[in-house]
Amino acid sequence: MITQKFRGPRATRSAVATAAIFTAAALTLSACGSSSASPEANSGQKKSEVTLWMYPVIKDETASKKYWQDTEAAFEKANPNIDLAIELQTFEKRDPQISAALAAGSGPDVVLITPDQAATYKNVRGLLPVDKAVEKDKDSFYPTTLEAATFDGELYGVPIFQNVNTAAYNTKIFADADLPLPKTWDDLRSAAPVLAKKGIAVMDYAGSPEQTLNLSFYPLLWQAGGTVFTDDAKDVAFDSEAGEAALQLLIDLKKLGGLPVDAATDGPKVEGAPIAAGKVAMRATTSLAELKQMRAALGEENVTLRAPLQGTVQATYGNPGLLALTSINKKDNRDAAYTLMSYLSSAESQKALNAAAGNLPTRTDAGTPSSDPDLVAMNEALKTANPGESSPVARQVMGTLAPNIQAALRGDVSAREALDRAAEEARGILQRSAK
């Protein structure tokens, strides 16, 4: 794991050509940052110290480093009594890294996490409530972004951006085959054998455990009208008829040649993958960063974003990125941590970060350009986006379900057998966690 701590000389402008348009945006935050600083954080002589662990929201490493350097400088200028250290981490082994830090009592005051991680860490008393960080402008946030981080009536994460994924198509493939772009599961089944004759899979699927099920199997489960957990989260529900229908769709497509040969073990990457080589016609859950990679490989004019697929219902995955306050944070730095979270979740900060990362805002006053067709498509996708199903054992349940889905895709077991096996293991996890 490579950690970059921003201490020392700032990067030169020539080193960050790709980040140039974001630098000015980040620096302008100093003008608005002073309004977000709390009286407690700016009073007294001793500086408060706050450490933030940030993950690759901005995919380009050079652009990311430059952006967060400038953000750190702008924040400290606006809040001279707070010493901020932004430490860049990698997604690899993020859960073990954060869990180890919480257990050791040493690590970040503030960390970027997802709603299901918030549920997990809150359950082991690793997080502290952050309602105070948004108390002044709570009404400016989209309610769903706050709801995703609210547990037992308290907020455990300040949403600073929204991720959303939707369907991306290689339009040339469908045009050459004289096929309409698939909108439904039935459309997929119809197109699969036609494209298979050309050596092309209609849809990719990342069956590798490195891909979260939120971006692979769960959207299909939700499209079938199913859920991962019961409403009270005390039991799993993916072994339902809806779950079986979702997994059977993948099995059927695999048999029809509609998925890549290695779908059971493929990872989520675009570059170097079949979809970038024109051997796959669409990706059902696509981020803006992945869209950019697809266009670089296939041609700007050959790739388009559309609405999420529809089974029984239309659904996709989209969740807010949360700034969580860890139990490591000391009381004398508490207000400084609130100030940081308020600053980074402000409308001005969100506009700058969204421009740099290609994400969507969590506030109604940090709107996206309506003229950009990609952002229009993503905004539309948010209407059917599921932020994931929060449970303290959500990640462990994924860990039991993923290999059973792989087994079904390999043809080792049926959809029903795979789900029943996974459900039995998952229920054991739930029972142990309840003790």
Side-chain angles (χ1 to χ4, degrees), residues 5 50 142 198 241 310 314 316:
K5 185 174 181 179
V50 178
Y142 290 110
K198 298 174 177 288
E241 289 184 5
Q310 181 166 338
Q314 195 174 55
T316 188

Side-chain angles (χ1 to χ4, degrees), residues 360-422:
L360 297 171
T362 64
R363 299 174 59 115
T364 58
D365 53 356
T368 56
S370 59
S371 59
D372 186 318
D374 294 334
L375 291 178
V376 169
M378 288 298 192
N379 271 315
E380 283 298 306
L382 275 174
K383 296 176 182 178
T384 58
N386 189 320
E389 299 181 43
S390 297
S391 166
V393 297
R395 294 301 173 106
Q396 292 171 272
V397 168
M398 282 189 190
T400 66
L401 187 51
N404 284 288
I405 292 173
Q406 285 182 313
L409 286 175
R410 289 194 304 264
D412 298 339
V413 294
S414 68
R416 173 47 53 196
E417 289 169 334
L419 295 175
D420 285 345
R421 283 175 15 179

Side-chain angles (χ1 to χ4, degrees), residues 111-132:
V111 61
L112 181 72
I113 60 175
T114 59
D116 60 335
Q117 287 176 312
T120 299
Y121 301 138
K122 182 260 182 186
N123 192 55
V124 296
R125 300 181 181 178
L127 301 183
L128 301 170
V130 293
D131 299 83
K132 190 174 179 180

